[in-house]
Amino acid sequence: MIQIEYFLIVAAVMMFAGIFGFLTRRSTLAILLSIELMLNATDINFAVFNRLMYPAGHEGYFFSLFSIAISAAESAIAIAIMINIYRQMKDISIDKLQKLKW
Amino acid sequence: MDYSQFLYMREELSLLLVILILFVADLFMCPDKKSGKGVYNTALPVVLMSVLTIVNLLPCCGAQACEAFGGMYQYAPMMTIVKSVLNIGVILVFLMAHGWLSRPENKVKQGEFYIVTLFTLLGMYFMISSGHFLMFFIGLELASVPMCALIAFDKYRYESAEAGAKYILLALFSSALLLYGISFIYGGTGSLYFSQIGALLSGNSLLSLLGLTLFLAGMGFKISLVPFHLWTADTYEGAPTVVTSYLSVVSKGSAAFVLFTVLIKVFSVGQLFTDWNIGLFWIIIASITIANLFALRQKNLKRFMAFSAISQAGYLVLGAMGGTAQGMTAMVFYLLVYLVANFGAFAVINVVEQNSGKLGIADYNNLYQTNPKLAFLMTLCLFSLAGIPPFAGFFSKFFIFMAAFNAGFRLLVFIALVNTIISLYYYLLIVKAMYISPNDQPIPTFRSDNYSRAALIICLLGVVLLGIAGWVYNYIDTLSYGLDTIL
């Protein structure tokens, strides 16, 4: 059986890849993808903790399910806002989101 | 299954009922095609919310502290008070929104505004009463996802969309961090129930510390405390003014209360208690000081209010230090007073923006000459925010400082006091602009609509009377709980 550490390492790598992407990508859609990567890393964490450490209950699985659903709702709203920006600026790069600052 | 436990959730269910009534009313009360006049007026949601608040506060159905659904939903009488304070905030938002919503581009969206706002309120209700991290997370997201839609509500104004994009990207980022923290708490304890985690968390394990840190970061984003505040000014400036006021008080206040309850329920074993106190100590100092320094250099009134709100959030969280019952009383009272004062200021900003389109601090020069009543009300609200004695803000700040002092954080109280004086300077800058600075073209005299007037009068009464009416504080005090007095 695969040790729990390997799963957690995969999740941690995904998490930090997501954070790195969030900080470095210039397109808002790529930023959104990075955030999905972070959310999926947490889902893996929940499922793994539930399966390998506390197999008696299903709390972790349910948490992953809910978090998948909620992150889908969030992406829907985020993309709607980006379409709105695109309609007015014809560009969704975050370099263009600079009208409001300091 | 025992269906009677749904009755414990009577506040949430009655709010859901209000939402359904408004939803159905929206179908039949759409704007008249010929005259284009909004038939669906502000009165209905305001009356419904007022009825809801009064029913919640009626002592006859005042419930005891209880649990439902195996502890996923927890109720304490204090939560009714907090929810009613939030209700008052929402009523004020609806009153203020009348002028903005009766504009031609928003007329068709009136119903949406009310329903989406109430859904965020429902999320805050669930977040406040949660007894399980899943409920907490769903409540948090229900409060923040529709909020993005509200911020981007002005569809044809670019700033609104940019503010919405900035808010939702950072909200998603912070909720991902928060979830990562919760997953480690689950890994360390095997439970997500607040009541069980408290006993299972071993005080000095690295997992629980990681969980605590990421939890503080996630909540710090919602309350916009300093290391996590960078979205605040941009979002506040771009969002419609009504939504800005909602963000700065209701969303912030509910999150601060939840931060308090979760910290004392979950993270108060052994070493962790010291850890979160140290964390909050630095966060509060940074919030109050840095926000004050940035507020000094703002030219736009909404940005200015954003930094003022960050600094006020620092004072609000000061009540959580030590997790005492007195701190909870002070925090809820501070929230109530901050609510009326901040909504008063925003109501003035809103009517001025609706009637003249001006938002710069320099535009307010000599407002007293043309609109003396508005200038006077704004002055009272700013004095209350700054904490000048006869007004309610002085008493709320005093109680907060007293609570933190009694909990043993004397240095923190001293730094906060020094910052109060700095904040006095920038609040008075606006008062100076309105009364003293000369202006060739002051904002012309105008009459605000009756709903905004009602909101202004409620805020005025609150600012003047809350400090004198001592029974409010005493009543909140009888219901509060903390680490020293568990209910």
Side-chain angles (χ1 to χ4, degrees):
Chain A
M1 186 166 144
I2 304 172
Q3 297 287 311
I4 186 167
E5 287 85 351
Y6 294 102
F7 292 105
L8 294 183
I9 287 169
V10 169
V13 168
M14 273 174 79
M15 182 79 192
F16 284 98
I19 294 176
F20 180 74
F22 182 84
L23 297 175
T24 54
R25 296 283 132 185
R26 309 301 336 155
S27 159
T28 35
L29 278 181
I31 291 178
L32 203 61
L33 286 179
S34 313
I35 293 173
E36 289 300 319
L37 211 55
M38 292 167 69
L39 287 166
N40 286 343
T42 64
D43 294 343
I44 293 180
N45 255 7
F46 275 113
V48 166
F49 281 133
N50 195 352
R51 173 78 175 76
L52 297 178
M53 287 176 74
Y54 310 104
H58 292 289
E59 277 184 304
Y61 293 145
F62 281 118
F63 209 116
S64 320
L65 270 180
F66 275 97
S67 107
I68 289 168
I70 288 173
S71 66
E74 281 171 334
S75 325
I77 292 216
I79 290 172
I81 293 175
M82 278 154 208
I83 289 174
N84 208 357
I85 292 178
Y86 183 78
R87 278 192 182 142
Q88 304 187 27
M89 300 288 281
K90 302 292 170 214
D91 192 354
I92 50 165
S93 156
I94 51 165
D95 299 326
K96 291 286 186 318
L97 296 183
Q98 281 191 345
K99 200 163 176 195
L100 307 169
K101 58 179 181 180
W102 298 119
Chain B
M1 191 178 135
D2 177 16
Y3 288 101
S4 70
Q5 54 188 341
F6 276 106
L7 287 178
Y8 294 138
M9 300 169 66
R10 63 193 173 85
E11 278 148 2
E12 283 76 9
L13 293 179
S14 39
L15 180 62
L16 204 58
L17 189 69
V18 170
I19 296 175
L20 287 177
I21 293 172
L22 285 177
F23 193 71
V24 175
D26 189 32
L27 286 178
F28 297 107
M29 296 172 83
C30 54
D32 188 36
K33 281 218 175 68
K34 274 180 205 149
S35 65
K37 221 174 166 187
V39 186
Y40 187 89
N41 54 25
T42 317
L44 179 66
V46 168
V47 168
L48 282 174
M49 285 309 289
S50 313
V51 170
L52 176 70
T53 315
I54 292 167
V55 169
N56 281 350
L57 279 175
L58 278 184
C60 66
C61 22
Q64 305 293 311
C66 55
E67 284 187 352
F69 307 107
M72 283 192 94
Y73 179 90
Q74 289 181 336
Y75 173 80
M78 189 65 177
M79 288 163 185
T80 303
I81 305 290
V82 178
K83 288 170 185 172
S84 305
V85 172
L86 301 182
N87 277 350
I88 296 170
V90 170
I91 292 170
L92 289 173
V93 165
F94 286 171
L95 287 173
M96 279 162 60
H98 177 77
W100 172 62
L101 285 178
S102 43
R103 284 182 176 186
E105 72 269 24
N106 289 332
K107 222 173 267 168
V108 285
K109 299 192 287 184
Q110 285 191 15
E112 284 167 41
F113 176 76
Y114 300 131
I115 292 165
V116 173
T117 310
L118 290 179
F119 267 117
T120 61
L121 184 68
L122 185 67
M124 290 166 202
Y125 274 25
F126 276 119
M127 189 165 75
I128 287 170
S129 288
S130 58
H132 185 276
F133 267 117
L134 183 54
M135 281 288 289
F136 162 77
F137 179 66
I138 292 174
L140 186 82
E141 292 305 322
L142 185 53
S144 70
V145 173
M147 192 70 89
C148 311
L150 281 181
I151 292 170
F153 203 78
D154 275 345
K155 204 172 152 191
Y156 301 108
R157 206 163 53 88
Y158 167 72
E159 288 86 351
S160 182
E162 180 179 329
K166 282 180 175 166
Y167 182 77
I168 195 163
L169 288 177
L170 289 171
L172 277 167
F173 185 75
S174 79
S175 69
L177 287 183
L178 178 70
L179 267 184
Y180 203 54
I182 296 175
S183 79
F184 281 119
I185 294 170
Y186 178 63
T189 60
S191 172
L192 286 165
Y193 288 94
F194 290 167
S195 49
Q196 294 174 3
I197 296 174
L200 289 169
L201 267 186
S202 47
N204 43 13
S205 93
L206 205 57
L207 279 184
S208 52
L209 192 59
L210 196 59
L212 170 66
T213 315
L214 294 174
F215 173 77
L216 276 184
M219 293 311 283
F221 170 83
K222 286 291 288 178
I223 319 175
S224 71
L225 294 167
V226 149
F228 322 105
H229 72 293
L230 292 166
W231 58 278
T232 318
D234 290 357
T235 302
Y236 280 30
E237 188 187 345
T241 310
V242 177
V243 179
T244 309
S245 64
Y246 186 64
L247 260 178
S248 74
V249 181
V250 179
S251 151
K252 194 170 273 199
S254 62
F257 182 77
V258 173
L259 178 72
F260 187 106
T261 51
V262 175
L263 281 180
I264 62 171
K265 267 184 221 159
V266 178
F267 294 108
S268 286
V269 273
Q271 179 65 28
L272 272 183
F273 176 73
T274 333
D275 289 339
W276 69 253
N277 272 310
I278 294 171
L280 277 189
F281 181 87
W282 291 109
I283 287 177
I284 290 170
I285 290 181
S287 302
I288 298 177
T289 317
I290 294 177
N292 272 349
L293 296 180
F294 275 98
L296 291 174
R297 60 191 285 275
Q298 298 306 322
K299 301 275 183 287
N300 179 305
L301 205 54
K302 269 159 92 180
R303 276 190 103 75
F304 167 83
M305 289 307 284
F307 284 105
S308 142
I310 297 172
S311 150
Q312 298 282 346
Y315 291 109
L316 195 59
V317 178
L318 196 56
M321 297 297 289
T324 57
Q326 196 188 10
M328 180 180 273
T329 320
M331 183 191 255
V332 175
F333 186 70
Y334 194 91
L335 175 61
L336 181 61
V337 171
Y338 170 59
L339 182 138
V340 284
N342 216 31
F343 269 121
F346 268 112
V348 175
I349 297 173
N350 188 42
V351 290
V352 170
E353 193 199 2
Q354 295 303 326
N355 286 290
S356 69
K358 288 180 178 169
L359 278 170
I361 293 178
D363 295 328
Y364 276 67
N365 283 352
N366 220 347
L367 183 70
Y368 177 71
Q369 201 187 13
T370 50
N371 296 293
K373 285 182 198 157
L374 282 183
F376 180 65
L377 183 69
M378 184 83 166
T379 312
L380 291 193
C381 293
L382 292 175
F383 278 178
S384 182
L385 284 175
I388 290 178
F391 305 111
F394 168 73
F395 296 96
S396 62
K397 276 213 168 61
F398 175 74
F399 290 134
I400 279 274
F401 289 155
M402 193 170 72
F405 193 82
N406 284 345
F409 297 93
R410 296 181 186 180
L411 179 64
L412 191 57
V413 171
F414 176 72
I415 294 172
L417 269 174
V418 172
N419 273 291
T420 315
I421 299 164
I422 302 176
S423 74
L424 196 57
Y425 170 71
Y426 60 72
Y427 287 125
L428 286 180
L429 275 184
I430 294 180
V431 177
K432 172 179 164 272
M434 290 190 301
Y435 282 89
I436 300 171
S437 303
N439 193 350
D440 298 336
Q441 294 162 316
I443 292 165
T445 312
F446 59 81
R447 254 184 83 86
S448 42
D449 59 285
N450 289 333
Y451 290 107
S452 302
R453 284 172 172 229
L456 288 167
I457 289 168
I458 294 173
C459 295
L460 175 70
L461 289 178
V463 166
V464 175
L465 294 180
L466 273 176
I468 306 165
W471 60 269
V472 178
Y473 180 83
N474 285 336
Y475 180 60
I476 297 173
D477 197 36
T478 54
L479 299 176
S480 64
Y481 58 96
L483 282 174
D484 43 355
T485 44
I486 294 291
L487 278 181

